[in-house]
CSV table of all heavy atoms in Angstrom, one decimal:
chain,number,residue,atom,x,y,z
A,52,VAL,N,107.3,49.9,93.9
A,52,VAL,CA,106.5,49.5,95.0
A,52,VAL,C,106.3,50.6,95.9
A,52,VAL,O,107.2,51.3,96.4
A,52,VAL,CB,107.2,48.3,95.8
A,52,VAL,CG1,106.4,47.9,97.0
A,52,VAL,CG2,107.3,47.1,94.8
A,53,VAL,N,105.0,50.9,96.2
A,53,VAL,CA,104.6,52.1,97.0
A,53,VAL,C,103.8,51.5,98.2
A,53,VAL,O,102.9,50.7,98.1
A,53,VAL,CB,103.7,53.1,96.3
A,53,VAL,CG1,103.3,54.2,97.2
A,53,VAL,CG2,104.5,53.6,95.1
A,54,LEU,N,104.2,51.9,99.4
A,54,LEU,CA,103.6,51.5,100.7
A,54,LEU,C,102.8,52.6,101.3
A,54,LEU,O,103.4,53.7,101.5
A,54,LEU,CB,104.7,51.0,101.6
A,54,LEU,CG,104.2,50.6,103.1
A,54,LEU,CD1,103.1,49.6,103.1
A,54,LEU,CD2,105.4,50.2,103.9
A,55,VAL,N,101.5,52.4,101.5
A,55,VAL,CA,100.7,53.4,102.1
A,55,VAL,C,100.1,52.9,103.4
A,55,VAL,O,99.6,51.7,103.4
A,55,VAL,CB,99.5,53.8,101.1
A,55,VAL,CG1,98.6,54.9,101.8
A,55,VAL,CG2,100.0,54.3,99.8
A,56,VAL,N,100.2,53.6,104.5
A,56,VAL,CA,99.6,53.2,105.7
A,56,VAL,C,98.5,54.3,106.1
A,56,VAL,O,98.7,55.5,105.9
A,56,VAL,CB,100.6,53.0,106.9
A,56,VAL,CG1,101.4,51.8,106.7
A,56,VAL,CG2,101.4,54.3,107.1
A,57,ALA,N,97.4,53.8,106.7
A,57,ALA,CA,96.4,54.7,107.1
A,57,ALA,C,96.7,55.5,108.4
A,57,ALA,O,96.4,56.6,108.5
A,57,ALA,CB,95.1,53.9,107.3
A,58,THR,N,97.5,54.8,109.3
A,58,THR,CA,97.8,55.4,110.6
A,58,THR,C,99.2,55.2,110.9
A,58,THR,O,99.9,54.4,110.3
A,58,THR,CB,96.9,54.8,111.7
A,58,THR,OG1,97.5,53.5,112.1
A,58,THR,CG2,95.5,54.5,111.2
A,59,ALA,N,99.7,55.8,112.0
A,59,ALA,CA,101.0,55.6,112.5
A,59,ALA,C,101.1,54.5,113.5
A,59,ALA,O,102.2,54.2,114.1
A,59,ALA,CB,101.6,56.9,113.1
A,60,GLY,N,100.0,53.9,113.9
A,60,GLY,CA,100.0,52.8,114.9
A,60,GLY,C,100.2,53.3,116.3
A,60,GLY,O,100.8,52.5,117.1
A,61,GLU,N,99.8,54.5,116.6
A,61,GLU,CA,100.2,55.1,117.9
A,61,GLU,C,99.4,54.5,119.1
A,61,GLU,O,99.6,54.9,120.2
A,61,GLU,CB,100.0,56.6,117.9
A,61,GLU,CG,98.6,57.1,117.7
A,61,GLU,CD,98.2,57.2,116.2
A,61,GLU,OE1,98.9,56.7,115.3
A,61,GLU,OE2,97.1,57.8,115.9
A,62,ARG,N,98.4,53.6,118.8
A,62,ARG,CA,97.7,53.0,119.9
A,62,ARG,C,97.9,51.5,119.9
A,62,ARG,O,97.1,50.7,120.5
A,62,ARG,CB,96.2,53.3,119.7
A,62,ARG,CG,95.9,54.8,120.0
A,62,ARG,CD,94.4,55.1,119.7
A,62,ARG,NE,93.5,54.4,120.6
A,62,ARG,CZ,93.3,54.7,121.9
A,62,ARG,NH1,93.9,55.7,122.4
A,62,ARG,NH2,92.4,53.9,122.6
A,63,GLY,N,99.0,51.0,119.3
A,63,GLY,CA,99.3,49.6,119.3
A,63,GLY,C,99.9,49.2,120.6
A,63,GLY,O,100.3,50.0,121.4
A,64,LEU,N,99.8,47.9,120.8
A,64,LEU,CA,100.4,47.3,122.0
A,64,LEU,C,101.9,47.3,121.9
A,64,LEU,O,102.5,46.9,121.0
A,64,LEU,CB,99.9,45.8,122.1
A,64,LEU,CG,100.4,45.0,123.4
A,64,LEU,CD1,99.9,45.7,124.6
A,64,LEU,CD2,99.9,43.6,123.3
Side-chain angles (χ1 to χ4, degrees):
V52 176
V53 176
L54 173 58
V55 180
V56 290
T58 81
E61 65 274 12
R62 293 176 58 80
L64 181 61

